[in-house]
Amino acid sequence: MQEAPKSRSFIEEFIEQDLTQGKVKGAIQTRFPPEPNGYLHIGHVKALYINFTMAGRFAGKCNLRFDDTNPTKEDTEYVEAIKDDIRWLGFKWDKLVYGSDYFEKTYEIAEDFINKGLAYVDELTQAQMREYRGTLTAPGRNSPYRDRSAEESLDLFRRMRAGEFANGRMVLRAKIDMASPNVLLRDPALYRILHARHHNTGDKWCIYPMYDFAHPIQDMIEGITHSLCSLEYEIHRPLYDWVRDHCSLLEAHPRQIEFARLHMSHTVLSKRYLRALVENGYVSGWDDPRMPTLAALRRRGYSAASIHDFLARVGISKADSIVDIRLLEHCVREDLNASARRAMAVLEPLKVTLSNWPEGKTTFVSAENHPDHPEWGAREIPFGKTLYIEREDFAENPPPKFFRLAPGREVRLKSAYIIRCDEVVKNEDGEVIELICSVDLSSLSGGEGANRKVKGTLHWVEAQSAIPFEGRLYDYMFGDAEPAGEPEESADEGEESAPGAKPDFLTRFNHDSIQLIKGFLEPSLGELSPGQSFQFMRQGYFYVDPDSKPGALVFNRTVSLKDSYRP
Ligand code: ATP
Ligand code: MG
C-alpha cells in the first residue's frame, strides 16, 4: 500500500471498510469504462484518475474497458486516441477489454433472466411505453405483455437475435416494479433491436444490451470490486444492484460508488457539446488547443505532471461544484516555471536602432537558461545595431507608473545594455515604426557598469539573426463562467438532439479566443521539433506546435505568466 495521504476521501474509507470487513478478499479491482464515441476531456480524466489511483493505493488493478455497447456512434479512431491519452498520463491498465467482448455472455444472462421470470419481451410502441411508464408523481401501468409466458418471451427474444424484426418493434424489459418511485426501476429495457454494424463485432448482432444491464454484467465478469463512476449514475445504482443480485451465472459482487462530476468554468465538459463545437467548425478539431480534451491540452503544452497535480488538488468529493479554470492554469504554470528553459521572443515587434553602435558590429551577451538551475548553463545571444523590442513596451506619452521605454527615458535590455530613447520615427499615418536610441556602452550586464540601476528591464531580440515565428495566443472559449448551464445528464442511451440542430450555448462562443501573431525569436531557438516548452521572458510559456515546419515554427502559448488564481 502507498503512503497514506493526509486526508482520505470517502471512497478510500468505503474501500477500507470493505477490506477490513472481509467483503473484498484479495486485491481490489477497478475499471475505467470510456465509450469510444469521442476524445477524453478533463472530466473523464477525473474518473480515470480516481479509478487508477484507488487501485494503486490499495495495491489493486484497473482495467481499461471500452464501453462499446452502442454501435452507431463508436469508432476505432477514438479507441486509439483514448489509449494514447491514458499512456501519456502514465497510467498502466491491467486488462484491455471491450464491453462487446461479452455480448455472448450478456445474451446468455438475458435468457436466464427470462427463464427465471425476471424479464419479458414487450411489444408496446415507444409512445405507448412512455405513456405506460407514468410520471414522477404518478405510478406506471403494467404492459399487457408483461405476463406472457417465459417460453413465449424466449422464443421472441431468440427471433429478435435472429434478425426477424425491425428496429424498435419490440424490446426485452426487466420485470421489476411499474409503481416504483424510482422511474428507472419501472421495467427498464435490457435489450433493443438495432440493425447496425458494430466496430468490433461487425454484423454479428442486431440486438444490443442497454447500459444498465451490460455494465454490472461487465463488472462481474471482470471481477471488479469497486465500480467507481460519476454522480449521475447514483439513481441507477438500485438497478445496478438488482441486475447483480439476480445474476446467478456470475459470482462477483461489485459495489458501485459515485463521485462528483468535474465541471470547469469557461468551458464545456460534455462530449456532446464538444462534438458540436467540432462539427460546426467553431474549433479546428478535437485537439484545437482551446478545447478541454486531453489531446488539446497536450498540444497546448500541458504536461502530464500538471494534470496529475490538478486532479490531486480537485480531490474526490461527493458534491458537485464548478472548478475555476484558473486552477488548471495555475498547475501548469507552476510546473513549467520549474521545468521550462528561458528564452527571449518578441511577439509584436518594434524596431530599435542604436545610433552610437558601430555599423556592422555584432557581439554576444550571455543569458542564463534558468534562474534556479545554474547547472543548465547559459547561451550566447547576438546583440547588434538593430533590435526588436515589444511594441507595448514603448509609450510616447507614458501613463503614470509606466517604467518601460519612452522618449528621453532609459531601460535595461535583459542580459545586455542600458539604452535611452532619443528619437521616435513615424510613418505617414503617424504610427511609430522605429526608435532611435543610444546605448550606454559601459552598462553591460555582469560587467562593471552593471551596477547602475534603471527601473525597467525589457526583453528583445537582435534583428539580423532573429527567427520569425507564428504565435497562437488563446483565450477562453466562453466568456461566461457557465456557458451551457448544467448539461442534461443521462447515464443510459439518451436521445440525442436532432442532427443539424445547433445547441444554444454555441451563441456564447468567444470568437476572439484565438489570436495569431508574427513575432521574432532569438536564434538559439532555430532548430526545434514539436513538443518542447519554453518560457518566453515576460510573455508566458510557449510550446512548439506540430504544425511547425522547418523554417516556419509555430508556437502555442500554453499560459501567460500572470497568475490570478486565488485558492
Ligand atoms: P459526456 O457526458 O462527456 O458525454 P460520458 O459520461 O458519456 O461523457 P463516458 O465515455 O461514458 O462519457 O464516460 C467514461 C467515464 O467518465 C464514466 O465513468 C463517467 O462517469 C466519467 N465521466 C464523464 N464525464 C465526467 C466528468 N465531467 N467528471 C467526472 N467523471 C466523468
Ligand atoms: Mg456515458
Side-chain angles (χ1 to χ4, degrees):
M1 209 153 92
Q2 278 187 4
E3 192 187 322
K6 275 179 229 97
S7 74
R8 289 185 323 153
S9 66
F10 70 97
I11 297 184
E12 283 159 288
E13 310 252 317
F14 282 164
I15 295 177
E16 189 113 309
Q17 278 168 19
D18 289 346
L19 288 166
T20 48
Q21 293 171 8
K23 285 190 191 150
V24 173
K25 301 201 173 50
I28 74 157
Q29 177 81 48
T30 61
R31 86 290 167 264
F32 174 62
E35 190 177 352
N37 62 349
Y39 284 67
L40 294 184
H41 56 62
I42 187 83
H44 297 122
V45 180
K46 177 176 179 181
L48 192 155
Y49 176 85
I50 291 176
N51 276 291
F52 276 96
T53 51
M54 287 304 125
R57 216 156 268 173
F58 291 95
K61 289 181 172 154
C62 180
N63 289 348
L64 170 59
R65 181 201 305 150
F66 288 103
D67 172 19
D68 59 351
T69 51
N70 187 6
T72 51
K73 290 176 295 174
E74 292 156 6
D75 202 312
T76 43
E77 175 201 346
Y78 301 126
V79 169
E80 291 311 314
I82 290 169
K83 289 200 291 198
D84 211 38
D85 279 346
I86 298 176
R87 282 195 209 100
W88 180 79
L89 278 171
F91 289 117
K92 294 197 172 54
W93 55 81
D94 181 25
K95 295 191 196 68
L96 172 69
V97 284
Y98 292 84
S100 56
D101 292 342
Y102 311 132
F103 278 164
E104 198 63 57
K105 189 78 193 169
T106 314
Y107 177 83
E108 193 190 323
I109 292 166
E111 284 207 353
D112 183 53
F113 273 41
I114 296 172
N115 284 327
K116 288 194 291 199
L118 297 167
Y120 61 99
V121 170
D122 195 359
E123 295 174 58
L124 289 182
T125 64
Q126 275 179 20
Q128 287 170 324
M129 229 183 270
R130 213 165 307 150
E131 192 216 313
Y132 273 71
R133 192 178 297 142
T135 64
L136 287 176
T137 46
R141 282 180 293 137
N142 286 352
S143 160
Y145 301 100
R146 196 177 201 260
D147 292 320
R148 68 178 2 151
S149 70
E151 290 70 32
E152 198 182 349
S153 277
L154 197 58
D155 174 59
L156 287 169
F157 189 51
R158 288 180 176 166
R159 288 165 61 197
M160 278 167 64
R161 177 182 182 167
E164 277 190 37
F165 309 114
N167 291 353
R169 174 68 187 75
M170 48 188 79
V171 293
L172 183 71
R173 296 178 76 174
K175 196 186 284 189
I176 307 181
D177 178 7
M178 286 307 291
S180 171
N182 183 340
V183 181
L184 292 171
L185 293 179
R186 296 184 188 168
D187 291 9
L190 302 181
Y191 261 92
R192 61 189 165 150
I193 302 171
L194 207 58
H195 292 271
R197 202 183 154 69
H198 187 279
H199 78 103
N200 194 24
T201 56
D203 294 320
K204 181 154 188 240
W205 294 89
C206 60
I207 55 171
Y208 291 93
M210 305 300 282
Y211 177 90
D212 283 325
F213 187 56
H215 205 85
I217 290 174
Q218 294 162 358
D219 283 348
M220 291 174 82
I221 293 172
E222 288 170 37
I224 301 301
T225 57
H226 296 87
S227 187
L228 312 175
C229 58
S230 45
L231 210 51
E232 74 272 21
Y233 293 95
E234 191 174 27
I235 51 165
H236 294 253
R237 184 163 13 109
L239 183 49
Y240 182 98
D241 292 350
W242 183 88
V243 173
R244 178 197 62 201
D245 295 342
H246 290 89
C247 181
S248 46
L249 298 184
L250 295 167
E251 306 243 303
H253 193 88
R255 172 180 186 186
Q256 177 178 307
I257 306 173
E258 308 85 15
F259 52 83
R261 272 177 91 84
L262 178 70
H263 301 283
M264 201 161 67
S265 68
H266 304 287
T267 191
V268 284
L269 293 186
S270 148
K271 263 183 282 197
R272 193 184 321 172
Y273 288 170
L274 296 174
R275 183 177 298 111
L277 287 166
V278 174
E279 286 176 356
N280 291 293
Y282 284 76
V283 293
S284 62
W286 288 94
D287 68 345
D288 184 302
R290 290 167 287 180
M291 295 276 274
T293 57
L294 214 45
L297 291 167
R298 288 163 69 170
R299 184 169 173 188
R300 175 111 172 219
Y302 276 76
S303 58
S306 65
I307 307 269
H308 281 259
D309 183 29
F310 171 71
L311 292 160
R313 293 189 201 217
V314 164
I316 307 173
S317 64
K318 182 96 201 177
D320 269 329
S321 64
I322 297 182
V323 173
D324 190 334
I325 195 168
R326 289 176 302 176
L327 174 60
L328 182 62
E329 296 172 343
H330 175 79
C331 292
V332 75
R333 199 178 273 119
E334 280 205 340
D335 184 47
L336 292 175
N337 182 35
S339 66
R341 219 185 84 182
R342 273 45 173 172
M344 290 203 279
V346 170
L347 304 187
E348 211 191 323
L350 175 61
K351 187 174 166 191
V352 169
T353 302
L354 301 177
S355 53
N356 59 334
W357 188 268
E359 201 72 51
K361 179 185 166 182
T362 306
T363 181
F364 286 86
V365 300
S366 177
E368 59 190 1
N369 287 328
H370 195 290
D372 304 329
H373 293 286
E375 75 281 9
W376 291 11
R379 59 206 189 279
E380 301 295 307
I381 311 177
F383 185 91
K385 195 170 180 69
T386 3
L387 311 165
Y388 293 120
I389 63 164
E390 208 69 68
R391 184 164 282 277
E392 63 173 24
D393 282 338
F394 171 78
E396 202 171 7
N397 300 300
K401 300 211 176 122
F402 184 87
F403 298 124
R404 295 172 269 168
L405 203 55
R409 288 209 190 158
E410 285 188 324
V411 290
R412 174 171 290 284
L413 297 179
K414 175 76 185 167
S415 305
Y417 298 89
I418 293 174
I419 60 168
R420 187 184 64 222
C421 175
D422 300 324
E423 200 186 322
V424 179
V425 183
K426 294 184 182 174
N427 66 11
E428 286 162 8
D429 299 330
E431 289 161 359
V432 177
I433 51 165
E434 185 181 349
L435 304 176
I436 311 293
C437 298
S438 47
V439 51
D440 175 351
L441 295 166
S442 69
S443 63
L444 180 63
S445 294
E448 277 176 23
N451 292 339
R452 194 158 81 80
K453 285 251 186 301
V454 289
K455 278 209 167 131
T457 300
L458 307 185
H459 62 276
W460 54 276
V461 294
E462 193 274 324
Q464 299 296 313
S465 57
I467 296 167
F469 77 101
E470 177 184 323
R472 298 176 182 169
L473 314 184
Y474 301 105
D475 195 354
Y476 302 139
M477 287 199 292
F478 299 93
D480 293 88
E482 290 175 72
E486 187 68 14
E488 238 176 84
E489 299 309 350
S490 95
D492 67 9
E493 292 76 357
E495 283 141 48
E496 296 281 309
S497 48
K502 269 198 186 185
D504 182 48
F505 77 98
L506 288 175
T507 59
R508 288 186 283 280
F509 184 81
N510 172 13
H511 289 279
D512 296 324
S513 49
I514 181 165
Q515 187 196 344
L516 302 181
I517 58 101
K518 296 261 175 236
F520 288 106
L521 302 167
E522 58 168 75
S524 74
L525 301 189
E527 313 265 308
L528 296 178
S529 43
Q532 289 168 277
S533 281
F534 296 89
Q535 185 198 89
F536 290 171
M537 300 189 66
R538 303 177 63 233
Q539 291 293 6
Y541 297 98
F542 285 75
Y543 182 81
V544 187
D545 189 87
D547 282 349
S548 298
K549 307 222 163 37
L553 286 171
V554 179
F555 280 87
N556 295 314
R557 179 154 70 187
T558 312
V559 70
S560 66
L561 292 182
K562 208 159 80 214
D563 193 344
S564 56
Y565 177 71
R566 296 285 165 266

